[in-house]
Amino acid sequence: MNEQSLSVREAIIQRRSVKNFNGQPVERETLMTVLEDAKWAPNHGNREPWRVVAACGKELADLHTVLREFGVTKWKDLSEDELTKQMKKFTAPGAYAFVIVPEDVRQKERLEDYAAASAYIQNAQLLAWDLGIGSCWKTPPFLDAPKFREALGVKPGERIISMLQLGYFDEMPKARPRKEVDEFVTFFSSNN
Ligand SMILES: Cc1cc2nc3c(=O)[nH]c(=O)nc-3n(C[C@H](O)[C@H](O)[C@H](O)COP(=O)(O)O)c2cc1C
């Protein structure tokens, strides 16, 4: 085990969603290690209900073109300068992982699969954090757009549930306060 590794508790508590990546590339090997180790997420029936379309290095330029096309619809009134600024949100991450889940026709299985894939994503975020790589799970509406799905090779019966941006960063994001545990935990009582 890497002596410098964070404890699970430290990783969970310290991880923050990073939105200001510094543009430093994420190596393919590092990305693959994160995506490989994350697969030990719990999942019902060993369905391993996730697949990932990843991009880093040479794939990024083409991905940026696709993302720009979808951003442009929203930013159609922006000047070229403003557009470049907006595009930083897409160009600054060093890697992308689009997480895709099967949409089982059975509701229970579909929910289980979404839950398992979410555990996979959080594993990936924590593993990346332990390597000094920030991430942000994003769900822009264009993930469901037919043309975007087509660009990623998403098949009918599948859904992209996360645009996971990964990358290095210079500033530690601030944590927003969370509720105290006794605000969301009650103990079972037979008087309920
Ligand atoms: C299902 C899901 C969808 C999210 N979608 C977005 C998003 O579209 N854009 C964004 O900036 N952050 C998104 N986030 C990140 C949250 O904003 C972030 O987790 C939250 O602010 C708490 O911050 P923390 O992750 O640093 O604790 C998403 C998180 C989850 C779990």
Side-chain angles (χ1 to χ4, degrees):
M1 203 177 96
N2 175 2
E3 290 301 320
Q4 258 92 65
S5 276
L6 298 171
S7 70
V8 173
R9 179 173 185 268
E10 284 168 335
I12 291 171
I13 293 174
Q14 292 172 13
R15 180 211 58 84
R16 297 276 63 82
S17 291
V18 171
K19 304 186 188 191
N20 53 343
F21 298 99
N22 65 13
Q24 190 183 329
V26 173
E27 295 298 325
R28 183 168 302 257
E29 202 186 336
T30 311
L31 177 64
M32 286 301 273
T33 300
V34 165
L35 298 177
E36 153 82 15
D37 292 350
K39 75 183 182 187
W40 294 102
N43 66 100
H44 198 180
N46 239 11
R47 292 196 290 272
E48 298 179 59
W50 48 73
R51 72 179 186 91
V52 179
V53 174
C56 67
K58 63 181 164 49
E59 297 91 18
L60 286 176
D62 283 351
L63 178 65
H64 294 161
T65 308
V66 173
L67 291 170
R68 184 184 170 107
E69 190 189 323
F70 284 88
V72 161
T73 329
K74 200 169 110 191
W75 305 324
K76 59 181 183 311
D77 298 326
L78 296 187
S79 69
E80 199 53 35
D81 267 7
E82 286 168 325
L83 187 61
T84 308
K85 220 167 119 194
Q86 287 295 331
M87 269 305 288
K88 283 225 170 88
K89 289 181 193 164
F90 290 142
T91 56
Y96 278 79
F98 293 89
V99 180
I100 297 163
V101 293
E103 291 204 287
D104 202 299
V105 291
R106 300 162 296 180
Q107 191 190 39
K108 177 177 180 288
E109 282 76 2
R110 185 182 293 211
L111 290 172
E112 285 173 350
D113 288 351
Y114 189 95
S118 299
Y120 174 87
I121 295 165
Q122 177 65 350
N123 275 358
Q125 296 202 100
L126 294 173
L127 288 159
W129 190 260
D130 187 44
L131 299 174
I133 297 171
S135 64
C136 190
W137 177 341
K138 289 196 170 167
T139 49
F142 62 71
L143 295 186
D144 292 320
K147 271 183 132 183
F148 189 78
R149 288 168 53 91
E150 200 185 308
L152 259 65
V154 177
K155 302 180 205 92
E158 291 186 321
R159 183 148 190 231
I160 311 167
I161 65 160
S162 173
M163 174 172 84
L164 188 64
Q165 297 181 318
L166 300 124
Y168 296 93
F169 56 100
D170 300 321
E171 253 174 71
M172 180 71 178
K174 280 205 185 81
R176 290 212 235 136
R178 300 273 158 112
K179 288 178 196 162
E180 295 297 330
V181 67
D182 50 13
E183 289 179 58
F184 61 89
V185 174
T186 51
F187 281 88
F188 171 77
S189 154
S190 52
N191 298 328
N192 278 334

